[in-house]
Amino acid sequence: MSENTNKEALLAAKDEQKRSDFIAKYEQAILRTASSSSHKYVTKEEDEWSIALVAFSKAIDSYSEDKGDFLPFAMMLVKRALIDYYRQNKKHENELSISPNIMNGGQQSEEDLSLHKEISKASLEKESNLSKELLLKDEIEGANEMLKEYGFSFYDLTKASPKQDKTKEICAEAIRCILNNKAYLEELEAKKKLPIKALSKEHDLSKKILDRYRKYIIMAVLILSKDYPLLAAYLKFVRKEE
């Protein structure tokens, strides 16, 4: 099912009629995502529908198979577009939030201006944090759906993550090996299994550790090789950025 959708998306990017048919096929899915992201029932007469539609169309243009299945990728872009839309609207609300005194021909006092700036700053920071939380939630949900194909969920990782520095470094080395080797990455995605034998034999990595922490390694490889920027930030040590 997902493979057919992925192929349809690639064809839709090259043909306008196929694009229209493809979008029409997934109208209800787009509306559901727009409604859940907006926390209200969205119809085609509302701005949210237009924004979601544009985001879905952009997803078609930017999609490639290395981004995983098309629908989770597209719906993530739809959610992000709507979050940006609400954030921009909130920003303009803050910009227009002036003292009522100005409406009567009076001037804002320095105290009013200072207070307004503090309120606006706090409101924007709160909105920014909320947007990040929502985006992170979306990424976790997307990653969870992707990991189900590998036989486990994102939430299994609370018990499957390495704790000791030495173990973490071995796992990080395995992750780097896969990310830097196209054959390893293709084997992982095709067979849904970690190439433990090759990693152990060719890179002298502990087979026992690779097997024990295979879920963690698979998760990290997929997040770092696909479109999960917020989750990827938690894996900076793998790329030796810290």
Side-chain angles (χ1 to χ4, degrees), residues 37-55:
S37 299
S38 304
H39 304 293
K40 68 174 185 175
Y41 181 72
V42 172
T43 67
K44 291 184 181 180
E45 285 70 44
E46 297 177 84
D47 291 342
E48 286 86 351
W49 164 248
S50 300
I51 292 161
L53 199 58
V54 169

Side-chain angles (χ1 to χ4, degrees), residues 29 63 72:
Y63 177 68

Side-chain angles (χ1 to χ4, degrees), residues 157-174:
L157 297 170
T158 55
K159 298 179 180 179
S161 301
K163 302 296 187 294
Q164 297 182 353
D165 289 343
K166 185 177 180 180
T167 307
K168 284 180 71 175
E169 181 50 40
I170 293 172
C171 290
E173 182 60 29

Side-chain angles (χ1 to χ4, degrees), residues 19 23 37 41 51 56 70 83 144 185 190 200 211 225 236:
R19 180 191 293 264
I23 290 173
S37 299
Y41 181 72
I51 292 161
F56 190 85
F70 173 76
I83 288 170
N144 191 47
L185 192 55
S200 177
D211 185 53
S225 64
K236 283 184 177 181

Side-chain angles (χ1 to χ4, degrees), residues 133-182:
E133 287 176 12
L134 290 171
L135 287 174
L136 183 59
K137 182 182 177 183
D138 288 340
E139 287 192 12
I140 290 172
E141 289 176 355
N144 191 47
E145 286 301 310
M146 175 177 61
L147 292 172
K148 284 179 182 178
E149 296 182 16
Y150 292 79
F152 62 98
S153 78
F154 184 87
Y155 305 101
D156 291 335
L157 297 170
T158 55
K159 298 179 180 179
S161 301
K163 302 296 187 294
Q164 297 182 353
D165 289 343
K166 185 177 180 180
T167 307
K168 284 180 71 175
E169 181 50 40
I170 293 172
C171 290
E173 182 60 29
I175 295 163
R176 287 192 288 267
C177 288
I178 297 171
L179 290 172
N180 295 326
N181 188 311
K182 188 177 179 181

Side-chain angles (χ1 to χ4, degrees), residues 9-205:
L10 292 171
L11 292 172
K14 302 174 183 177
D15 186 291
E16 284 305 313
Q17 185 57 51
K18 288 181 179 178
R19 180 191 293 264
S20 297
D21 293 342
F22 185 67
I23 290 173
K25 181 178 179 180
Y26 289 101
E27 272 188 2
Q28 291 305 311
I30 299 170
L31 281 169
R32 282 196 299 272
T33 300
S35 296
S36 65
S37 299
S38 304
H39 304 293
K40 68 174 185 175
Y41 181 72
V42 172
T43 67
K44 291 184 181 180
E45 285 70 44
E46 297 177 84
D47 291 342
E48 286 86 351
W49 164 248
S50 300
I51 292 161
L53 199 58
V54 169
F56 190 85
S57 187
K58 286 182 178 179
I60 294 173
D61 292 327
S62 60
Y63 177 68
S64 58
E65 290 183 299
D66 62 356
K67 297 184 187 299
D69 289 334
F70 173 76
L71 278 182
F73 167 73
M75 296 312 168
M76 184 181 295
L77 294 193
V78 169
K79 290 176 182 178
R80 288 179 179 176
L82 286 166
I83 288 170
D84 287 342
Y85 166 70
Y86 286 121
R87 183 169 56 192
Q88 286 299 317
N89 278 358
K90 187 69 176 178
K91 181 178 180 180
H92 293 315
E93 284 176 13
N94 288 329
E95 289 171 351
L96 295 170
S97 177
I98 60 176
S99 170
N101 185 49
I102 210 78
M103 302 297 292
N104 298 322
Q107 293 191 4
Q108 276 187 295
S109 67
E110 289 187 11
E111 184 179 354
D112 283 341
L113 287 170
S114 177
L115 180 60
H116 167 62
K117 287 179 181 178
E118 287 181 18
I119 292 172
S120 295
K121 182 180 177 182
S123 181
L124 286 172
E125 286 178 354
K126 183 178 179 181
E127 184 69 17
S128 177
N129 290 335
L130 178 59
S131 295
K132 286 181 181 178
E133 287 176 12
L134 290 171
L135 287 174
L136 183 59
K137 182 182 177 183
D138 288 340
E139 287 192 12
I140 290 172
E141 289 176 355
N144 191 47
E145 286 301 310
M146 175 177 61
L147 292 172
K148 284 179 182 178
E149 296 182 16
Y150 292 79
F152 62 98
S153 78
F154 184 87
Y155 305 101
D156 291 335
L157 297 170
T158 55
K159 298 179 180 179
S161 301
K163 302 296 187 294
Q164 297 182 353
D165 289 343
K166 185 177 180 180
T167 307
K168 284 180 71 175
E169 181 50 40
I170 293 172
C171 290
E173 182 60 29
I175 295 163
R176 287 192 288 267
C177 288
I178 297 171
L179 290 172
N180 295 326
N181 188 311
K182 188 177 179 181
Y184 288 163
L185 192 55
E186 288 177 349
E187 181 181 344
L188 172 65
E189 294 184 341
K191 296 182 178 180
K192 310 300 180 190
K193 291 182 179 180
L194 193 68
I196 292 177
K197 187 175 180 180
L199 289 168
S200 177
K201 184 177 180 181
E202 297 175 21
H203 300 277
D204 196 29
L205 296 173

